[in-house]
Amino acid sequence: MSVRLRPDAVEEAQEALRGHERVLPRGAGTKPALSSPPDGTVTLDVSGLTGIEEYDPEELTFTARAGTSLGEIEAALAENGQYLPFDPPLVAAGATLGGAVAAGTSGPLRYRSGGVRDFILGVRFLDGEGRLVRAGGRVVKNAAGFDLSKLMVGSAGRLGVMVELSFKVFPQPQAWATLTVDCAGLDDALALMGALATAPLDLEALDLEPPGRLWLRLAGLADAMPARLERLEGILERSGERLEGEEEGALWREVRDFAWVAEDAAIVKVALVPKRVPELEAKLEPLAVKRRYGAGANIAWLAWPGERPAQELDELLRSLGLAGVFLTGSPPKPMVGTHRGGAFAQRVKSALDPSGRFPDV
Amino acid sequence: MLLSALGAIYPPARILTSRAELAPYECDALTSFRASPRAVVLAESTDEVVETVRACHRLGVPYVARGSGTSLSGGSLPIEEGIVIALNRLNRILELDPEQRTAVVEPGAINSQVSAAAAPHNLFYAPDPSSQSICSIGGNLAFNAGGAHCLKHGMTSSSVLGAKVVLPDGELVELGGESIEPVGPDWMGLFVGSEGMFGIALEITLRLMPSADRTRTVLSAYESLEAAGNAAAKVVAAGLLPVAMEIMDKLAIEAAEGSVKPGYPEGIEALMIVELEGDHETVDREFEQLLEVLEGAGATEVREPDDDAQRALYWEGRKSAFSAVGWLSPDYIVQDGVVPRTRLGEALAEIGRLSEEHGIRVANVFHAGDGNLHPLILFKGSEEGALERAEELAGEILRMCIRLGGSVTGEHGIAMEKRAFLPEMFGEEDIEMMRRLWRAVDPAQIANRGKMFLPEEELERDEAADPDAAPSSAAVAGTAGPPPGGASSGEARRDTR
Amino acid sequence: MSLPVPIVLRRFTVSLPVLHEIKIHQHEPQAEEMAAAIEQCIHCGFCLPTCPTHVVLGEEMDSPRGRIFLMKEVLEGNMEVEEAAPFIDCCVGCDACVTACPSGVRYDELIVPYRAHAEERRERDWRDRLLRRLIAETLPYPRRFRVAARLGRLARPLRRLAPGRAGAMLDLLPETLPRARPLPELQPADGERRARVALLAGCAQQVLAPEINSATLRVLARNGVEVVVPREQGCCGALDLHSGASARAKAHARRNFRAFPDDVDAVVTNAAGCGSGVREYGLLFKGSAEEGQARELAERTVDVSVFLDELGLKPPPPLPEPLELAYQDACHLAHAQGVRSAPRALLAAIPNVNLLEPDDWELCCGSAGTYNIEKPDVADELGRRKAEALLATGAEAVATGNIGCLTQIEAHLRALGRELPVVHTLQVLDRAYEQASGSPRAASP
């Protein structure tokens, strides 16, 4: 077959796409639940579309091809004291920029700074017919045309094949510090989170490790850190364990890269709000599913045991009206639970992929 | 047909059809276009809105949903043969949950009233367009409104979590949710900024932010506008993350002093307002660093407001600047373009050069932190050809924005005003994709028809008339001169009087 | 292939909606001011949140920018006066939009002459005419008003039979009318004379709350101000002026040209509506032989709070008890005359007064001259909102600078079951001075 399924250039990708009836793109494959093709579908491997095309540190924006590894991007940014505030997971595993967008995955730091959706500026992608489409731009503010860049976030390769992305970035904070606090239990922890929600603290991350451990992360000027930690403890009305330096960074990298998820378990992201946590906890507790709540309990990260069928989680989430997505493992369909979008989603999908070349959303 | 359908939904007092009732709805804050709708309905429940949309779809009547009518791009301009669904009375804040940091509001809710309702909980709604005291959340959502403080907190789309939406055929869908992190494709993100063409958001879930522990504002003065632009770039490059960074030039300062009298330093060429927010330990230290950067960047004077009242006044001067320019000139064009922030100085110098070359005064007041320019082109409409010359200059400024790698709109949207510029910024395939999306979501093309793109049938007609040449301006703008009784093809008429 | 969308670089935000075609020379002398206001409006909408009718009704034609649009259409000859009339009539005339407007549109200089322009071209039905006549012939004349008010009270049992607006008028009448208190023609200064002023006594005020004038005289006297109260003075004409009856307004004004002496430092008013009415004399007489006279009187007329603040208030002693006092801006003081700080400064000078500020200070209370009689529904809603905002401050009493607001706020506080004292700014000062000197004259707030 003459058509390459691992293109190095956009034109090759277009040709490859047009040469097959059923296609699913894949970057580094770190989120196999999203990139494993259903039967009869070929994989379009875009990990060859690499390279940072434009990066002006003073502008705090960059443009890179979709297959560029996040590791390469983070390294380039770090050289200039900058970083990706949405804190994409699975960097060490080799995740790509396009993959992070397609999976819509942000890490613990998204609590304060925002997620992938808040940092993406523009995209070039191939639609289901292989047409190269550009949306958004390279500047930090732009209201021209429909916001297709945002649509690509979480699209899981079902709406288009991204080939190039533009992002804004932030300067790295000087120092980081973490406080872990053990609460009496889930209710106590959630009550404390409720109080923190309206406190002027600028917490970078707020994670809940059930039943009652809170992880609070601060960032900023090193000089200011001791006073801020003290004030934080004052608001919490209890002291916690302080962590700073290299150890602190390593700790959060492990959280972000799911080091706490067992080898044979699947990583599942569920969207929720803190008030829904007790219901979900009540369902998961008896199942012995390891879990962790990120972004102030706006995300539940589950380690769904390999022996449990995805179907079971699908039903569980449906009963709660929550939406989830498998990142790893091999579920029949990555999206589980109750997803919204309805007729709007169908119409948008039909516009971007009229002949159904990509799998259903 | 239409009126009896509306009569089945609304009591007579809430269907406006007389000339005197319709005339005030003929335009929004972009006054160069006017169109008289067939009727205006005053909806008081979301069910009424849904029923209205269904009736419009059934009868093939185009509609525009209108909040406070403050769009600067003609977003809420009526459609001649269509109706206006006025959402002002659907303005309740339905729910406010401080612990989840969310508010659920109706589309007519006023931007600043959401913040006011959240304030007792030490929370606020971040996007702050200059018209925040009156603009509605529904309109903010439709146009992805920005504001001075979106430098740190993002545009409206970063603050809209979910919405119940009625699609243009009357189908109800829910997009997004309550969580700040969506799962699956970001349908909500696509809907925000779709300029009313994808439907009407009926119940909107907003993200609220905790109010800062400390806010410090500094006003710095410069010997030239370019120097101010370069200072802004230096602040960004220094790694400081201000919540807002705004520049005003001499003319804009003069206008503000004529209007709200903020008491800015006298005799300066440009000023910049920079605001830092956060916990006090950090802000106080960053403030010192900021002062160093500003002084290093050539500020001739640096001033911190004495108290909250003075800070509010500094901001009022900035936020009223568009309207206040009325003090300087009988007529003016408000522009909205974006350039990379490292090229601000260059862009401003170019605007100055163009202004001189054309012999037209340009006032500049803009969001420097994100490179979002708002040149105000001053002219006297009563002078023969003055409007045309001003428009030519405005066009050149926009083209410069594109050339420098920016955008033709940062926050005002395309709608009527920039329809012709979209194809300068995007390629054929890009525009075609947007049109395909539009056709898929609204096959009947009734939702805010004529905004962002020309309606399909007009395109076909224009192409049939002359397939090789771009149609004349008359085809787009309506004929020049006093408007005829009803503009052909439902296009809004240009107010050229 | 040609691009699917035409490239026409001709569409921009031109911020001037109302490039009017008003033939200025064909209209009254005030057409220039009217045209200027129309021309200056850029339709930005910043006036909407402070417009009481827009806040209550949520309709574009009941907003300042909507009405400007309508007045333009009428003046241009594109619309009949009667078509626009319902929405023009709905304007309370509070001038809050003038304060809010960043472009400096003088809506006041448009609506007032416009109403006169329109009135000459309108056909009102007999009930309308009767009601307007009734108001115009009684309110400005203290003796007639006193009689009418008594009759009105007698008519209360028939309230249910009275149609909307006449009923509203009955509702506003107080339970009891205070005894008439004739004012002295000259009130000498206590001690050394620092200034000499003439007092515009206000007509409805003399009937409804004569103690305001008494308190004003005493406070002025204590501050070394001699006050003349010209016998010949009449109504300022504001009611007629604001309802488009410019001929009657002029007649009132002429009487005042003659009545007020030249040998005073100022003409002071203690009713915001009267003060703003006099200050409009210049525009009213524009282009006539009396214009100079009119402008001269307008220029030397000043609210009593401003006069005292500029003169320098003699430090008042504390009240017998500390007072949590909300200050309510009267529209015709705050918006029409731009007076906000002077009354606050006077009240804050009383050592144990804690001044409170209600939310939405810009919003009219719904009184607005005779508005609460003409549009009772809107006025009621505004009154309720104002009363609630005032109660939310936790105040024990309310001070304001206008008799209309005073009556309206009292009525709506009463309707909410919270009868806080509502008094004039000068009454609070009076009480501080008088209580300290052991005089029994001061009204107790």
Coordinates of all heavy atoms in Angstrom, one line a residue, chain C residues 309-366:
Chain C
D309 N -22.9 74.9 52.8 CA -21.6 74.2 52.7 C -20.6 75.2 52.2 O -19.5 75.2 52.7 CB -21.7 73.0 51.8 CG -20.5 72.1 51.8 OD1 -20.0 71.9 53.0 OD2 -20.1 71.6 50.8
E310 N -20.9 76.0 51.2 CA -19.9 77.0 50.7 C -19.7 78.1 51.7 O -18.6 78.6 51.8 CB -20.4 77.5 49.4 CG -20.2 76.4 48.3 CD -20.6 76.9 46.9 OE1 -21.2 78.0 46.8 OE2 -20.5 76.1 46.0
L311 N -20.8 78.5 52.4 CA -20.6 79.5 53.4 C -19.7 79.1 54.5 O -19.0 79.9 55.1 CB -22.0 79.9 53.9 CG -22.1 81.1 54.9 CD1 -21.8 82.4 54.2 CD2 -23.5 81.1 55.6
G312 N -19.8 77.8 54.8 CA -19.1 77.3 56.0 C -20.1 77.1 57.1 O -20.5 78.1 57.8
L313 N -20.4 75.8 57.4 CA -21.5 75.6 58.4 C -20.9 75.8 59.8 O -19.8 75.4 60.1 CB -21.9 74.1 58.2 CG -23.1 73.7 59.1 CD1 -24.4 74.2 58.5 CD2 -23.2 72.1 59.1
K314 N -21.6 76.5 60.6 CA -21.2 76.5 62.0 C -21.3 75.1 62.6 O -22.4 74.5 62.5 CB -22.1 77.5 62.8 CG -21.8 79.0 62.5 CD -22.4 79.9 63.5 CE -22.0 81.3 63.2 NZ -22.9 82.3 63.9
P315 N -20.3 74.7 63.3 CA -20.3 73.3 63.7 C -21.5 73.0 64.6 O -21.7 73.6 65.6 CB -19.0 73.1 64.5 CG -18.1 74.2 64.1 CD -19.0 75.3 63.6
P316 N -22.4 72.0 64.1 CA -23.5 71.7 64.9 C -23.2 70.8 66.1 O -22.2 70.0 66.0 CB -24.4 71.0 63.9 CG -23.5 70.5 62.8 CD -22.3 71.3 62.8
P317 N -23.9 71.0 67.2 CA -23.7 70.1 68.3 C -24.3 68.7 68.0 O -25.0 68.5 67.0 CB -24.5 70.8 69.4 CG -25.5 71.6 68.8 CD -25.0 71.9 67.4
P318 N -23.9 67.7 68.8 CA -24.5 66.4 68.6 C -26.0 66.3 68.8 O -26.5 67.2 69.6 CB -23.8 65.5 69.6 CG -23.1 66.4 70.6 CD -23.0 67.7 70.0
L319 N -26.6 65.3 68.3 CA -28.0 65.1 68.6 C -28.1 64.5 70.0 O -27.1 63.9 70.5 CB -28.6 64.1 67.5 CG -28.7 64.6 66.1 CD1 -29.1 63.4 65.2 CD2 -29.8 65.7 66.0
P320 N -29.3 64.5 70.6 CA -29.4 63.9 71.9 C -29.0 62.4 71.9 O -28.4 61.9 72.9 CB -30.9 64.0 72.3 CG -31.5 64.9 71.2 CD -30.5 65.1 70.1
E321 N -29.3 61.7 70.8 CA -28.9 60.3 70.8 C -28.2 60.1 69.4 O -28.5 60.8 68.4 CB -30.2 59.4 70.7 CG -31.1 59.5 71.9 CD -30.5 58.7 73.1 OE1 -29.7 57.8 72.8 OE2 -30.7 59.1 74.2
P322 N -27.2 59.2 69.4 CA -26.6 58.9 68.1 C -27.6 58.4 67.1 O -28.6 57.8 67.5 CB -25.6 57.8 68.4 CG -25.4 57.8 69.9 CD -26.7 58.4 70.5
L323 N -27.4 58.8 65.9 CA -28.4 58.4 64.8 C -27.8 57.7 63.6 O -26.8 58.2 63.1 CB -29.1 59.7 64.4 CG -30.3 59.5 63.4 CD1 -31.4 58.7 64.0 CD2 -30.7 60.9 62.9
E324 N -28.3 56.6 63.3 CA -28.0 55.9 62.1 C -28.9 56.5 61.0 O -30.1 56.2 61.0 CB -28.2 54.4 62.2 CG -27.3 53.7 63.2 CD -25.8 53.6 62.8 OE1 -25.6 53.2 61.6 OE2 -25.0 54.0 63.6
L325 N -28.3 57.3 60.1 CA -29.1 58.0 59.2 C -28.8 57.7 57.7 O -27.6 57.8 57.3 CB -28.9 59.5 59.4 CG -29.6 60.5 58.5 CD1 -31.1 60.5 58.8 CD2 -29.1 61.9 58.8
A326 N -29.8 57.3 56.9 CA -29.5 57.0 55.5 C -29.8 58.3 54.8 O -30.8 59.0 55.0 CB -30.4 55.9 55.0
Y327 N -28.9 58.7 53.9 CA -29.2 59.9 53.0 C -29.6 59.4 51.7 O -29.0 58.6 51.0 CB -27.9 60.7 52.8 CG -28.2 61.9 51.9 CD1 -29.0 63.0 52.4 CD2 -27.8 61.9 50.6 CE1 -29.3 64.1 51.6 CE2 -28.1 63.0 49.8 CZ -28.8 64.1 50.3 OH -29.2 65.1 49.4
Q328 N -30.8 59.9 51.3 CA -31.4 59.5 50.0 C -31.2 60.7 49.0 O -31.7 61.7 49.2 CB -32.8 59.1 50.2 CG -33.7 59.3 49.0 CD -33.3 58.5 47.8 OE1 -32.6 57.5 47.9 NE2 -33.6 58.9 46.6
D329 N -30.5 60.4 47.9 CA -30.3 61.5 46.9 C -31.6 61.8 46.2 O -32.2 60.9 45.6 CB -29.3 61.0 45.9 CG -27.8 61.2 46.4 OD1 -27.4 62.3 46.6 OD2 -27.2 60.1 46.6
A330 N -32.0 63.0 46.3 CA -33.2 63.4 45.4 C -32.7 63.6 44.0 O -31.6 64.2 43.8 CB -33.8 64.7 45.9
C331 N -33.4 63.0 43.0 CA -32.9 63.1 41.6 C -32.6 64.5 41.2 O -31.7 64.8 40.5 CB -33.9 62.4 40.7 SG -34.0 60.6 41.0
H332 N -33.6 65.4 41.6 CA -33.5 66.7 41.1 C -32.4 67.5 41.8 O -32.0 68.6 41.4 CB -34.8 67.5 41.2 CG -35.7 67.0 40.0 ND1 -37.0 66.6 40.2 CD2 -35.5 66.9 38.7 CE1 -37.5 66.2 39.1 NE2 -36.6 66.4 38.1
L333 N -31.8 66.9 42.8 CA -30.6 67.5 43.4 C -29.4 66.8 42.9 O -28.5 67.5 42.4 CB -30.7 67.3 45.0 CG -30.0 68.3 45.9 CD1 -30.3 69.7 45.5 CD2 -30.4 68.1 47.3
A334 N -29.4 65.5 43.0 CA -28.2 64.7 42.6 C -27.9 64.8 41.1 O -26.8 65.0 40.6 CB -28.3 63.3 43.1
H335 N -29.0 64.5 40.3 CA -28.8 64.4 38.9 C -28.9 65.8 38.2 O -28.1 66.2 37.4 CB -29.7 63.4 38.2 CG -29.6 62.0 38.8 ND1 -28.4 61.3 38.7 CD2 -30.5 61.2 39.4 CE1 -28.5 60.1 39.3 NE2 -29.8 60.0 39.7
A336 N -30.1 66.4 38.5 CA -30.4 67.7 37.8 C -29.4 68.8 38.2 O -29.2 69.7 37.4 CB -31.8 68.0 38.0
Q337 N -29.0 68.8 39.4 CA -28.2 69.9 39.9 C -26.7 69.5 40.2 O -25.9 70.3 40.6 CB -28.8 70.6 41.1 CG -30.2 71.2 40.8 CD -30.7 71.9 42.0 OE1 -30.2 72.9 42.4 NE2 -31.9 71.5 42.5
G338 N -26.5 68.2 40.2 CA -25.2 67.6 40.5 C -24.8 67.8 41.9 O -23.6 67.9 42.2
V339 N -25.8 67.9 42.8 CA -25.4 68.1 44.2 C -25.5 66.8 45.0 O -26.6 66.3 45.2 CB -26.5 69.1 44.8 CG1 -26.2 69.3 46.3 CG2 -26.3 70.5 44.1
R340 N -24.4 66.3 45.4 CA -24.3 65.1 46.2 C -23.5 65.3 47.4 O -23.8 64.7 48.5 CB -23.8 63.9 45.4 CG -24.7 63.5 44.2 CD -24.3 62.1 43.7 NE -24.6 61.1 44.7 CZ -23.8 60.1 44.9 NH1 -22.7 59.9 44.2 NH2 -24.2 59.2 45.8
S341 N -22.4 66.0 47.3 CA -21.5 66.0 48.5 C -22.0 67.0 49.5 O -21.8 66.8 50.7 CB -20.1 66.3 48.0 OG -20.1 67.6 47.4
A342 N -22.6 68.2 49.1 CA -22.9 69.2 50.1 C -23.8 68.7 51.2 O -23.5 68.9 52.4 CB -23.5 70.4 49.4
P343 N -25.0 68.1 50.9 CA -25.8 67.7 51.9 C -25.2 66.6 52.8 O -25.4 66.6 54.1 CB -27.1 67.0 51.2 CG -26.8 67.0 49.8 CD -25.6 67.9 49.5
R344 N -24.4 65.8 52.2 CA -23.7 64.8 53.0 C -22.7 65.4 54.0 O -22.5 65.0 55.2 CB -22.9 63.8 52.1 CG -23.9 62.8 51.4 CD -23.1 61.9 50.4 NE -23.9 60.8 50.0 CZ -24.8 60.9 49.0 NH1 -25.0 62.1 48.4 NH2 -25.5 59.9 48.6
A345 N -22.0 66.5 53.5 CA -21.0 67.2 54.3 C -21.7 67.8 55.5 O -21.3 67.8 56.6 CB -20.3 68.2 53.5
L346 N -22.9 68.4 55.3 CA -23.7 69.0 56.3 C -24.1 68.0 57.4 O -23.9 68.2 58.6 CB -24.9 69.7 55.8 CG -24.7 70.8 54.8 CD1 -26.1 71.5 54.5 CD2 -23.7 71.9 55.3
L347 N -24.6 66.9 56.9 CA -25.1 65.9 57.9 C -23.9 65.3 58.6 O -24.0 65.0 59.8 CB -25.9 64.8 57.1 CG -27.2 65.3 56.6 CD1 -27.8 64.2 55.6 CD2 -28.2 65.6 57.7
A348 N -22.8 65.0 57.9 CA -21.7 64.4 58.5 C -21.0 65.3 59.6 O -20.3 64.9 60.4 CB -20.6 64.0 57.5
A349 N -21.4 66.6 59.5 CA -20.8 67.6 60.4 C -21.4 67.4 61.8 O -20.9 67.9 62.8 CB -21.0 69.0 60.0
I350 N -22.6 66.7 61.9 CA -23.2 66.5 63.2 C -22.4 65.3 63.8 O -22.3 64.2 63.3 CB -24.7 66.1 63.1 CG1 -25.4 67.2 62.3 CG2 -25.3 65.9 64.4 CD1 -26.8 66.9 61.9
P351 N -21.8 65.5 65.0 CA -20.8 64.6 65.5 C -21.4 63.1 65.7 O -20.7 62.2 65.4 CB -20.5 65.1 66.9 CG -20.7 66.6 66.8 CD -21.9 66.8 65.8
N352 N -22.6 63.0 66.1 CA -23.0 61.6 66.3 C -24.0 61.1 65.3 O -24.8 60.2 65.6 CB -23.6 61.4 67.8 CG -24.8 62.4 68.0 OD1 -25.0 63.3 67.1 ND2 -25.4 62.2 69.1
V353 N -23.9 61.6 64.1 CA -24.7 61.0 63.0 C -23.8 60.1 62.2 O -22.7 60.5 61.8 CB -25.3 62.1 62.1 CG1 -25.7 61.6 60.7 CG2 -26.5 62.8 62.7
N354 N -24.3 58.9 62.0 CA -23.5 57.9 61.1 C -24.3 57.9 59.8 O -25.4 57.4 59.8 CB -23.4 56.6 61.8 CG -22.6 55.6 60.9 OD1 -21.7 56.1 60.2 ND2 -22.9 54.3 61.0
L355 N -23.7 58.4 58.8 CA -24.4 58.5 57.5 C -24.3 57.2 56.7 O -23.2 56.6 56.6 CB -23.7 59.6 56.7 CG -24.6 60.4 55.8 CD1 -25.8 60.9 56.5 CD2 -23.8 61.6 55.2
L356 N -25.4 56.7 56.3 CA -25.5 55.4 55.5 C -25.9 55.6 54.1 O -26.7 56.6 53.8 CB -26.5 54.5 56.2 CG -26.2 54.2 57.7 CD1 -27.5 53.5 58.3 CD2 -25.0 53.3 57.9
E357 N -25.4 54.8 53.2 CA -25.6 55.0 51.8 C -26.4 53.8 51.3 O -25.9 52.7 51.3 CB -24.3 55.1 51.0 CG -23.4 56.3 51.4 CD -24.0 57.6 50.9 OE1 -24.8 57.6 49.9 OE2 -23.6 58.6 51.4
P358 N -27.6 54.0 50.8 CA -28.4 52.9 50.2 C -27.8 52.5 48.9 O -27.2 53.3 48.2 CB -29.8 53.5 50.0 CG -29.6 54.9 49.8 CD -28.4 55.3 50.6
D359 N -28.0 51.2 48.5 CA -27.7 50.7 47.2 C -28.5 51.5 46.1 O -29.6 52.0 46.4 CB -28.0 49.2 47.0 CG -26.9 48.4 47.7 OD1 -25.8 49.0 48.1 OD2 -27.2 47.2 48.0
D360 N -28.0 51.5 44.9 CA -28.8 52.0 43.8 C -29.2 53.5 44.0 O -30.3 53.9 43.8 CB -30.0 51.2 43.4 CG -29.7 49.8 43.0 OD1 -28.6 49.6 42.4 OD2 -30.4 48.9 43.4
W361 N -28.2 54.3 44.5 CA -28.6 55.7 44.8 C -29.1 56.4 43.6 O -29.9 57.3 43.7 CB -27.3 56.4 45.4 CG -26.2 56.7 44.4 CD1 -25.2 55.8 44.1 CD2 -26.1 57.8 43.4 NE1 -24.4 56.4 43.1 CE2 -25.0 57.5 42.7 CE3 -26.9 58.9 43.2 CZ2 -24.6 58.4 41.7 CZ3 -26.5 59.8 42.2 CH2 -25.3 59.6 41.5
E362 N -28.7 56.0 42.4 CA -29.0 56.7 41.2 C -30.5 56.6 40.9 O -31.1 57.4 40.1 CB -28.3 56.1 40.0 CG -26.8 56.0 40.1 CD -26.4 54.6 40.6 OE1 -27.2 54.0 41.4 OE2 -25.3 54.1 40.2
L363 N -31.1 55.5 41.3 CA -32.5 55.2 40.9 C -33.5 56.1 41.6 O -33.5 56.2 42.8 CB -32.8 53.7 41.2 CG -32.5 52.7 40.2 CD1 -33.1 51.3 40.6 CD2 -33.1 53.1 38.8
C364 N -34.4 56.6 40.8 CA -35.5 57.4 41.3 C -36.4 56.7 42.3 O -36.6 55.5 42.1 CB -36.3 57.9 40.1 SG -37.7 58.8 40.5
C365 N -37.0 57.4 43.3 CA -37.9 56.7 44.2 C -39.3 56.6 43.6 O -40.2 56.0 44.2 CB -37.9 57.5 45.5 SG -38.6 59.1 45.4
G366 N -39.5 57.2 42.4 CA -40.8 57.1 41.8 C -41.7 58.3 42.1 O -42.8 58.4 41.5

